Amino acid sequence: MSLAVASACAAFMPAYAQEVASTPGAAATTDPAAQEATSPSSPAGVQTVVVTGLRASLESSMNLKRNAQGFVDGIVAEDIGKFPDTNLAESLQRISGVSIDRSIGEGSKVTVRGVGPDFNLVLLNGRQMPTSILGDRPGRAYDFANIASEGISQLQVYKSARAETPTGGIGATINVITARPLSRPGLQATVAVKGVHDTSASNLPGDVKRGGKVTPELSGLYSNTSADGRFGIALSASYQERNLGYNVASVGNGWKGPFRGDENNWGTIPQPGTPGSENITNRPDPSDVYQVPQNLNYAMNGIQRQRTNGQLTFQFAPTKALTTTLDYTYSENKIQTRRQDLSAWFNFGPSSSTWTDGPVAAPLVYTEIINPATSDIAMGGADFATKTANNSIGFNAAWKVNSDIRLELDAHHSTAESKPDSPFGSSNVLGTASFSRGTTSVDFSKDLPVLSIQGADFARAPQQVTGSVFENAYVKSEINQVQAHGSWKMLEASELKFGLASTDAKNRSAFSVQQRDDTWGGATKPSDYPASMFHQESLRQYFDNIDGSENPNLFNTFYTFDFAALRQLAANVTGKPELYMPKQGYTTDQRTQEKSKSLYLQFNTDWDFAMPVHTSVGARYEKTDVTSTALVPIATSYTWLSQNEFAVGFGTPSFTTLTGKYHHWLPSFDADIDLRSDMKGRFSYGETIGRPRYDQLTGGQVLEVQGRIEGGKGTQGNPGLLPVKSKNIDLAWEWYYNKQSFVSLGHFRKSLENYAGQSVVVAQPFGLHTPVGGAYWNQAIASGCAASDTTCIRNYIFRNLNGRPGVTRGPDDTNGNATGSIAGQPNDPVTNFQITSYSNQKEARLRGLEFNIQHMFGASGFGFQANYTKVDSGLAYNNASIGEQFALVGMSDSANLVGIFENEKWNVRAAYNWRDKFLASTFDGAGPNPQYVEAYGQLDLSIGYNINKNLSVQFEGINLTDEIRRLHGRNERQALYVEQSGPRYMLAARYKF
């Protein structure tokens, strides 16, 4: 049956306490320990199985794997309303081949068998769910942080393809199953309370800290059925608050370059024999590749989150042959963020540096010589909030026509919407600075990049407001889906499954940016901002767990402020309050609609050989029409605002519409053989597709609002993109050597084609003119300014050419340098833009091994789980190569080790999860450069005690070893991102009625 039907089919089955499905055609069925492997909806052989406790949960998960058709793993709740982990993604990472990405200290997105989050399909009770994430507006990845685990009965991970499986998951299709009342006759109810102490919330500046040290979580579940078993109602709800923090050191705008050692360009270090070359130690060789940092930022982030989940389910079975289900699911995730930061920007003037060896060299120490000390020590603040809400209403009817034929109809309307939840927008920054920065160094030799600044004098150069950015972003995804499925038992040991579906998926991604680029040298004057507005802080304490923070050269003093108060003051003193709020409406609005029709046939047969064989052969047809409409702003000007800050001016936006379409036949074949009564062999071949990200599909060319001396950047989608197609082969051997123990070894291969290659082309959209290289620029060069000395060039233009077309001089800054704007003129050079677009041009191959063992030591109560996944591809990123490259992102080895103990009173679980280094992106803030996430391991602990049969208490500890997260570029010394957070502790009480 389909993924959505099984919950309705529950009425055909005897009572059982926990549901586990064995095929992707069943949303909720009987425990697999007691079912036929060929059909989760078969009433034959069903027994009453009560799943309570950790060991029973592991046994049920093992039986799901054992009795499944194809390659399926899963996790089953320990009891009603009690899932093994507080976060579903963190539960999923215990499964071999599944790795997770973390956000604000908990699991968010999943990668399966080396295939990234955008290519894994998530279903709720068999239904495709929409996604919306403001941090990744055009992505397809599902954010598991939106779903609380308390109302979940099980997770199923389908790793192999079958005709009845919906398309979209190349790595896996993940089905999240909630409770159904007719599956558990009678009254079932639980209530739980929990206190959460996140230590990361305490290690923050005062202007960033949010809320108390301990936050509450409440959850409950009620399920009941009528005496005759025909009517049932279930209600689950949870509310969770969490206060946390994380502190980050980052080269957020990437590393400039890469350059060859013999290259002479803006940003390169001096060539041998030229002035400044004597200040270089271990200079990169002529053929080596190197990069220089564009900036360094330390940011302290305080977060408050409120997560609300609820589901209401009605079931009615008017006859034994017909069951209807109506359900509504709601989730809401509200996040408030405060941030304070300290940063320094490099303008690539005179420098000294010490380097690692090549062929990919990185600076151990990079110093920019600034004299006099008049550059900016930048300190910014942010205060914004977002809200994500998910709504889903669905109806299901399952009809047992006779003993051989079953039919099902399922329909749902689901939405996911993310939007600002603050008058200050969905993201913002208010910049301040003291213009007293002299020679500036960064030591990259340790995990933490260490910033050193000479000449800082906050008394001589008080802090003042500089630039600002206010963004409003919006994402809404909507899915309307109707599915019809059927099964027909025939020929004694065979079954024909068939179905069709219609899916209408809409995605809207919109944003607007209010950015003051003309004030980075100061919005007004320092005296407008009383010293009492700023609060002195010490930096070192917020990174004390990262190697390098002990360096005595660390610039340790910075100032924080109340964002709302300073924003209001800046709005008042500038007389431009509208520039210190988000824009009303959206200037970029991208909308994509995908209409898909599908049908499938699947034939399952049992072969009564000496070694019984079970096979499934099928095909699925999928046809999709894509329509993409985009409202994009029309660029009108390119203006020079400060040393390396340019602004793109925009006029009235307009809509454009583009279309695309594709269709696929997707064959599949599964076979498993009972080598012995306790041993299985499996084989699977199937073809699957994964649809492109929405930013790859969206029509319309979007230019970034900020540019640089060398030009600007932009993006453009392609609605004609085909989905990625994968041909998958799976092999496995499994030995279930006792009731709760097994060992398995699997091998998988994926041959992928039609990957959307990200390419950057240099274009000149809208014919925008730049002052760089124009008449005013050339006059300044002729007067004696060096081409690399943008301060000299700007001073010359403002002091000698003020009032000329495009030249508007402002007041001198505190350093005596002229400020103002210089707009490109008709005879100036046309600005180059690096436009990122997409086309189907890439192929890849994946192969891997999965090893699993689960062992319970008899009746002792002790046991363990362990798994290891090895993934390999021939597409490794070449760090020594310059230019765009295609490589698989998210691919990494992973391992888990879980030890358990359980008896009538106690249950203990210690879980260590490890993920090896992986490539997260082939682009950073500067262009085509790699971003590597370094290997990460985390230890979690859970201890429970049953006071009596109804009341239990539980302690949980997350990230007990206080691990840090770190990303680097082409060389490990090229730090991109280093994060310190902290352990999280929880104490809960749960009562079961």
Side-chain angles (χ1 to χ4, degrees):
M1 303 293 282
S2 78
L3 278 161
V5 68
S7 59
C9 291
F12 305 137
M13 303 175 186
Y16 56 93
Q18 185 62 62
E19 309 146 318
V20 182
S22 69
T23 80
T29 67
T30 178
D31 187 278
Q35 71 181 25
E36 299 292 333
T38 56
S39 175
S41 57
S42 170
V46 175
Q47 303 170 4
T48 300
V49 180
V50 178
V51 179
T52 57
L54 181 56
R55 286 166 61 95
S57 169
L58 294 175
E59 181 182 352
S60 293
S61 299
M62 180 190 77
N63 288 328
L64 166 64
K65 180 182 184 74
R66 180 176 188 173
N67 294 330
Q69 181 185 70
F71 291 73
V72 182
D73 284 298
I75 299 174
V76 180
E78 298 174 28
D79 199 354
I80 180 172
K82 185 181 181 183
F83 213 70
D85 292 275
T86 58
N87 177 281
L88 295 184
E90 290 174 3
S91 288
L92 285 167
Q93 72 175 336
R94 316 295 181 201
I95 293 174
S96 61
V98 179
S99 303
I100 68 172
D101 295 336
R102 287 181 168 85
S103 177
I104 62 173
E106 65 179 59
S108 175
K109 305 174 186 178
V110 299
T111 294
V112 183
R113 290 180 162 182
V115 179
D118 285 314
F119 294 114
N120 294 302
L121 180 65
V122 176
L123 311 173
L124 179 66
N125 294 318
R127 300 161 177 160
Q128 182 179 339
M129 285 294 104
T131 65
S132 64
I133 305 174
L134 286 180
D136 185 21
R137 286 193 302 269
R140 291 184 185 267
Y142 191 84
D143 187 358
F144 283 93
N146 291 326
I147 303 181
S149 64
E150 284 78 4
I152 306 304
S153 63
Q154 62 181 278
L155 295 170
Q156 305 162 343
V157 180
Y158 300 94
K159 298 178 179 178
S160 60
R162 268 174 294 174
E164 60 183 327
T165 306
T167 58
I170 290 179
T173 297
I174 300 169
N175 193 21
V176 180
I177 298 176
T178 58
R180 293 291 189 253
L182 293 184
S183 300
R184 302 179 63 104
L187 173 64
Q188 311 284 335
T190 67
V191 63
V193 296
K194 182 184 293 185
V196 180
H197 172 52
D198 196 320
T199 60
S200 66
S202 301
N203 190 27
L204 295 169
D207 281 313
V208 169
K209 284 183 180 178
R210 304 189 69 102
K213 293 183 178 181
V214 178
T215 54
E217 293 187 3
L218 304 171
S219 64
L221 189 149
Y222 172 85
S223 176
N224 205 355
T225 58
S226 60
D228 59 6
R230 297 172 61 194
F231 181 80
I233 182 173
L235 173 65
S236 64
S238 67
Y239 175 76
Q240 302 171 338
E241 293 184 6
R242 183 180 167 207
N243 298 334
L244 68 139
Y246 64 97
N247 304 322
V248 175
S250 66
V251 181
N253 283 67
W255 289 68
K256 188 166 181 60
F259 304 112
R260 294 289 181 192
D262 57 0
E263 186 173 344
N264 190 17
N265 210 328
W266 189 61
T268 59
I269 56 178
Q271 293 296 314
T274 63
S277 61
E278 69 279 6
N279 297 325
I280 302 173
T281 302
N282 195 31
R283 191 188 195 287
D285 292 337
S287 60
D288 287 349
V289 169
Y290 73 93
Q291 294 177 267
V292 294
Q294 297 203 117
N295 72 319
L296 178 61
N297 178 284
Y298 300 103
M300 283 58 68
N301 302 268
I303 309 291
Q304 278 188 305
R305 186 194 70 186
Q306 303 85 40
R307 182 168 65 189
T308 305
N309 277 206
Q311 185 177 61
L312 178 63
T313 303
F314 296 99
Q315 285 191 292
F316 178 53
T319 70
K320 292 183 178 180
L322 177 65
T323 298
T324 60
T325 304
L326 178 67
D327 58 78
Y328 172 70
T329 303
Y330 176 78
S331 70
E332 179 185 87
N333 199 15
K334 301 176 72 173
I335 298 176
Q336 301 88 43
T337 302
R338 288 179 182 170
R339 182 174 64 244
Q340 298 283 327
D341 63 43
L342 165 69
S343 65
W345 287 78
F346 295 105
N347 291 315
F348 312 115
S351 66
S352 65
S353 51
T354 301
W355 297 83
T356 67
D357 294 334
V360 179
L364 294 170
V365 179
Y366 182 83
T367 301
E368 189 164 281
I369 300 168
I370 303 172
N371 190 16
T374 56
S375 287
D376 61 321
I377 304 173
M379 286 161 278
D383 190 340
F384 54 88
T386 61
K387 174 183 175 180
T388 296
N390 296 270
N391 289 270
S392 179
I393 185 168
F395 174 76
N396 181 280
W399 179 30
K400 183 181 179 183
V401 180
N402 54 43
S403 60
D404 294 328
I405 299 175
R406 299 188 183 200
L407 301 174
E408 174 217 358
L409 176 69
D410 188 90
H412 76 101
H413 168 73
S414 301
T415 62
E417 184 180 41
S418 299
K419 59 185 180 181
D421 196 32
S422 163
F424 304 144
S426 58
S427 180
N428 55 50
V429 63
L430 181 63
T432 73
S434 166
F435 290 92
S436 63
R437 178 164 63 92
T439 296
T440 302
S441 298
V442 182
D443 185 338
F444 291 100
S445 62
K446 299 292 181 66
D447 286 345
L448 180 73
V450 174
L451 176 69
S452 302
I453 296 175
Q454 298 179 19
D457 190 338
F458 294 102
R460 173 177 64 81
Q463 234 170 315
Q464 59 179 303
V465 171
T466 55
S468 57
V469 180
F470 291 81
E471 178 178 296
N472 260 347
Y474 177 83
V475 178
K476 184 175 182 180
S477 293
E478 177 181 326
I479 293 179
N480 293 296
Q481 187 177 53
V482 178
Q483 303 176 80
H485 306 273
S487 65
W488 178 20
K489 290 186 177 180
M490 56 177 62
L491 304 176
E492 295 185 0
S494 300
E495 181 183 34
L496 177 66
K497 293 188 174 185
F498 51 91
L500 54 86
S502 174
T503 304
D504 185 355
K506 299 177 181 177
N507 178 269
R508 181 187 179 195
S509 173
F511 68 93
S512 61
V513 178
Q514 183 84 270
Q515 182 160 330
R516 294 210 70 185
D517 280 322
D518 58 341
T519 58
W520 293 112
T524 53
K525 57 185 184 296
S527 59
D528 289 328
Y529 308 98
S532 59
M533 296 285 294
F534 303 102
H535 315 129
Q536 184 173 330
E537 287 276 357
S538 298
L539 182 68
R540 192 186 315 276
Q541 60 188 314
Y542 303 120
F543 297 92
D544 57 0
N545 194 39
I546 305 176
D547 186 24
S549 61
E550 72 285 353
N551 190 324
N553 295 322
L554 175 68
F555 184 73
N556 198 37
T557 300
F558 72 106
Y559 288 83
T560 65
F561 52 86
D562 182 298
F563 178 92
L566 191 62
R567 186 210 64 83
Q568 187 61 56
L569 180 58
N572 294 341
V573 299
T574 61
K576 299 178 179 179
E578 72 280 1
L579 299 182
Y580 291 90
M581 292 291 289
K583 290 181 179 179
Q584 298 300 310
Y586 302 110
T587 55
T588 298
D589 194 338
Q590 300 169 319
R591 307 177 187 189
T592 302
Q593 183 176 23
E594 295 169 313
K595 292 185 175 181
S596 298
K597 302 289 191 296
S598 63
L599 57 87
Y600 71 86
L601 287 174
Q602 182 173 302
F603 188 69
N604 304 332
T605 303
D606 293 346
W607 304 89
D608 190 16
F609 299 143
M611 294 182 180
V613 175
H614 318 280
T615 61
S616 174
V617 61
R620 185 181 187 92
Y621 176 75
E622 194 89 17
K623 179 181 181 294
T624 301
D625 294 311
V626 180
T627 302
S628 177
T629 301
L631 174 70
V632 296
I634 306 301
T636 58
S637 62
Y638 196 69
T639 304
W640 192 9
L641 301 178
S642 64
Q643 271 71 12
N644 191 27
E645 299 280 349
F646 288 71
V648 179
F650 295 98
T652 304
S654 63
F655 274 102
T656 60
T657 298
L658 298 172
T659 61
K661 61 183 178 180
Y662 54 84
H663 64 90
H664 288 277
W665 281 101
L666 304 171
S668 62
F669 175 76
D670 279 313
D672 65 78
I673 181 171
D674 295 334
L675 302 172
R676 292 187 333 207
S677 61
D678 61 351
M679 192 177 295
K680 277 184 177 286
R682 295 186 192 271
F683 170 80
S684 176
Y685 172 83
E687 297 183 10
T688 53
I689 59 172
R691 293 178 172 84
R693 287 169 53 91
Y694 290 113
D695 58 346
Q696 297 173 346
L697 292 173
T698 301
Q701 192 174 81
V702 179
L703 301 183
E704 294 183 7
V705 297
Q706 190 176 77
R708 302 295 181 190
I709 283 180
E710 63 269 29
K713 296 180 180 180
T715 59
Q716 179 173 316
N718 176 9
L721 279 178
L722 300 175
V724 177
K725 188 174 184 179
S726 179
K727 298 177 180 178
N728 314 291
I729 295 176
D730 293 86
L731 291 167
W733 168 83
E734 301 165 2
W735 178 26
Y736 300 89
Y737 56 89
N738 69 38
K739 183 180 178 182
Q740 295 182 321
S741 303
F742 78 98
V743 60
S744 69
L745 181 64
H747 174 68
F748 59 88
R749 289 177 178 265
K750 296 181 182 291
S751 179
L752 304 118
E753 60 186 38
N754 292 333
Y755 257 107
Q758 188 175 13
S759 59
V760 177
V761 297
V762 177
Q764 297 177 332
F766 308 106
L768 304 181
H769 295 275
T770 175
V772 178
Y776 304 153
W777 175 285
N778 291 332
Q779 286 185 45
I781 299 298
S783 73
C785 291
S788 61
D789 192 345
T790 55
T791 301
C792 177
I793 295 172
R794 286 175 58 82
N795 281 334
Y796 176 88
I797 293 173
F798 286 129
R799 290 168 181 167
N800 295 278
L801 304 174
N802 185 35
R804 298 279 186 92
V807 181
T808 304
R809 181 176 179 179
D812 288 357
D813 63 20
T814 56
N815 305 316
N817 293 316
T819 67
S821 61
I822 306 166
Q825 298 303 298
N827 293 324
D828 287 344
V830 177
T831 309
N832 289 326
F833 283 80
Q834 297 182 50
I835 305 298
T836 301
S837 190
Y838 307 90
S839 60
N840 293 116
Q841 55 181 268
K842 307 296 184 182
E843 296 182 352
R845 283 177 170 78
L846 274 174
R847 60 183 181 182
L849 294 172
E850 291 180 350
F851 173 75
N852 286 273
I853 184 170
Q854 176 175 303
H855 183 77
M856 300 298 157
F857 295 93
S860 69
F862 288 95
F864 73 91
Q865 282 182 304
N867 61 60
Y868 176 76
T869 302
K870 175 73 175 177
V871 187
D872 183 42
S873 169
L875 286 173
Y877 195 97
N878 183 357
N879 294 324
S881 177
I882 295 176
E884 299 164 37
Q885 298 183 49
F886 174 66
L888 294 180
V889 299
M891 186 179 68
S892 66
D893 300 343
S894 60
N896 289 279
L897 179 61
V898 181
I900 72 165
F901 171 77
E902 183 179 50
N903 60 23
E904 291 183 356
K905 287 293 186 180
W906 292 93
N907 64 84
V908 181
R909 187 186 66 160
Y912 182 78
N913 172 262
W914 172 84
R915 184 178 185 182
D916 202 1
K917 184 178 84 170
F918 65 93
L919 179 69
S921 177
T922 57
F923 281 75
D924 68 3
N929 295 299
Q931 296 186 51
Y932 294 101
V933 178
E934 298 182 2
Y936 181 88
Q938 179 171 303
L939 177 64
D940 303 330
L941 177 67
S942 172
I943 302 174
Y945 180 73
N946 298 321
I947 296 175
N948 55 46
K949 67 177 183 179
N950 301 108
L951 180 62
S952 62
V953 293
Q954 188 99 7
F955 166 82
E956 297 173 77
I958 308 296
N959 188 21
L960 293 179
T961 51
D962 196 5
E963 301 295 330
I964 67 168
R965 294 179 61 236
R966 189 175 190 273
L967 282 72
H968 67 258
R970 296 172 184 268
N971 184 299
E972 287 189 4
R973 295 302 99 207
Q974 283 182 241
L976 291 172
Y977 181 99
V978 190
E979 176 189 303
Q980 175 175 324
S981 54
R984 184 165 80 251
Y985 304 103
M986 292 162 280
L987 186 62
R990 175 176 177 271
Y991 189 86
K992 180 180 178 181
F993 296 90

